[in-house]
Amino acid sequence: MKLDSILAYQDVDMRLYALEKEVSGSDASKLVAKYRELMKEYSGGLIRSNAEMDEAVKLAKRQADELAALEAKIDDMAHISIEDAGIEELELYEKEAQKLAAEADAFKRAMDENEAQMKKILQNFDEKVKQCAVCKKKLDEANAAFKQLIDSKGEEVTAIKRRLAEIKKDVPEDVMELYIKRRNGKKMPAFVPLNPEFKACRCGVKLLDNALKNLQNPGDVVECQSCGRLVYIK
């Protein structure tokens, strides 16, 4: 395999790779990632609060309807007189009315509890809205700082990419595919010389005997069984 062109390409690309690592590992990048995660968390909280409020409102509606029905029954029984029913039957009506009144009181307590819960949900919702607003401001600031960092590297990146495009014309397509696969896998540099003293790859692992047998002449290339880099001899 002719390595001159791909090694020249790699030499230039290593600077671009370093710039990418510098940018992705920068404080600005970390802050962007941090506030994006917080925005996701707070937005999720808003969605959950909305769902909780919907359920609480539905429950309040059911409770109100059931209480109205109970109170209507109680009101009907209140108009029953001894003339309308006998004494024994009237006593039964009174006991039933008392039972319904107790149920109505229980419903009212449950409604009060649900109303208190709704107030808590609203408070939580308002708090999440405030958190989202603060987080959005921080995220905008982080994005601005990140963009500024990217812009500061713009000219150098453009020059590097222009140079890479020129060198790439001389790199065989199959060789470039091998290189790109390892670059995407963050195995950089992708092509590394064999350590002649230890018969090892850049990662420090000694190559297998079968691989070493295939490394006899300049241009011979084997894949490291450990890290996957492509090892050659000078």
Side-chain angles (χ1 to χ4, degrees):
M1 181 185 296
K2 288 188 175 182
L3 298 175
D4 291 348
S5 58
I6 191 61
L7 292 180
Y9 185 95
Q10 179 173 265
D11 285 343
V12 177
D13 192 32
M14 284 301 295
R15 175 54 186 161
L16 181 61
Y17 187 74
L19 286 172
E20 291 171 354
K21 287 186 66 176
E22 179 185 342
V23 169
S24 63
S26 66
D27 290 341
S29 177
K30 292 174 182 176
L31 283 175
V32 168
K34 172 186 175 181
Y35 289 119
R36 279 179 178 169
E37 283 300 312
L38 284 175
M39 279 297 292
K40 187 186 298 183
E41 177 185 337
Y42 295 151
S43 297
L46 288 175
I47 293 171
R48 288 190 294 274
S49 292
N50 270 329
E52 290 172 359
M53 181 58 75
D54 286 343
E55 289 301 315
V57 169
K58 290 176 183 177
L59 176 59
K61 178 66 169 59
R62 290 196 301 271
Q63 289 173 331
D65 290 342
E66 292 179 22
L67 179 61
L70 280 174
E71 289 177 337
K73 289 182 180 179
I74 294 171
D75 186 62
D76 289 341
M77 290 181 177
H79 291 86
I80 298 174
S81 65
I82 194 168
E83 288 81 11
D84 299 324
I87 294 177
E88 292 184 0
E89 189 175 355
L90 186 60
E91 290 177 349
L92 291 175
Y93 277 127
E94 288 177 350
K95 289 181 180 180
E96 181 65 19
Q98 291 173 357
K99 179 182 176 183
L100 291 175
E103 289 182 18
D105 288 340
F107 261 106
K108 289 176 182 177
R109 288 194 296 273
M111 290 176 72
D112 289 341
E113 291 174 1
N114 189 49
E115 184 178 352
Q117 180 64 21
M118 289 171 73
K119 288 180 180 179
K120 288 182 180 179
I121 293 171
L122 281 175
Q123 290 174 351
N124 185 53
F125 184 86
D126 289 341
E127 183 62 28
K128 287 290 186 292
V129 169
K130 292 176 183 177
Q131 289 175 332
C132 278
V134 172
C135 190
K136 176 65 167 57
K137 182 179 178 182
K138 294 289 187 182
L139 179 58
D140 289 343
E141 292 172 353
N143 276 324
F146 186 65
K147 183 179 183 302
Q148 186 176 7
L149 175 62
I150 294 293
D151 290 345
S152 70
K153 309 294 182 183
E155 290 186 11
E156 184 177 2
V157 169
T158 299
I160 292 172
K161 288 184 175 180
R162 187 182 300 117
R163 178 59 182 148
L164 288 174
E166 294 172 357
I167 302 173
K168 187 177 180 180
K169 298 174 184 177
D170 298 324
V171 181
E173 187 175 335
D174 58 337
V175 176
M176 181 58 70
E177 287 178 1
L178 292 172
Y179 178 83
I180 294 300
K181 179 181 178 181
R182 283 152 184 82
R183 193 189 198 285
N184 291 341
K186 302 188 184 303
K187 301 294 185 180
M188 291 292 282
F191 284 84
V192 295
L194 176 71
N195 182 319
E197 182 178 357
F198 300 103
K199 306 297 182 184
C201 175
R202 180 188 178 93
C203 65
V205 174
K206 182 180 179 181
L207 296 183
L208 298 174
D209 290 340
N210 287 339
L212 289 172
K213 289 178 181 178
N214 292 321
L215 274 180
Q216 300 297 323
N217 302 299
D220 290 344
V221 175
V222 297
E223 182 178 12
C224 174
Q225 75 273 11
S226 177
C227 68
R229 289 184 173 89
L230 298 170
V231 184
Y232 65 93
I233 56 173
K234 294 183 177 180

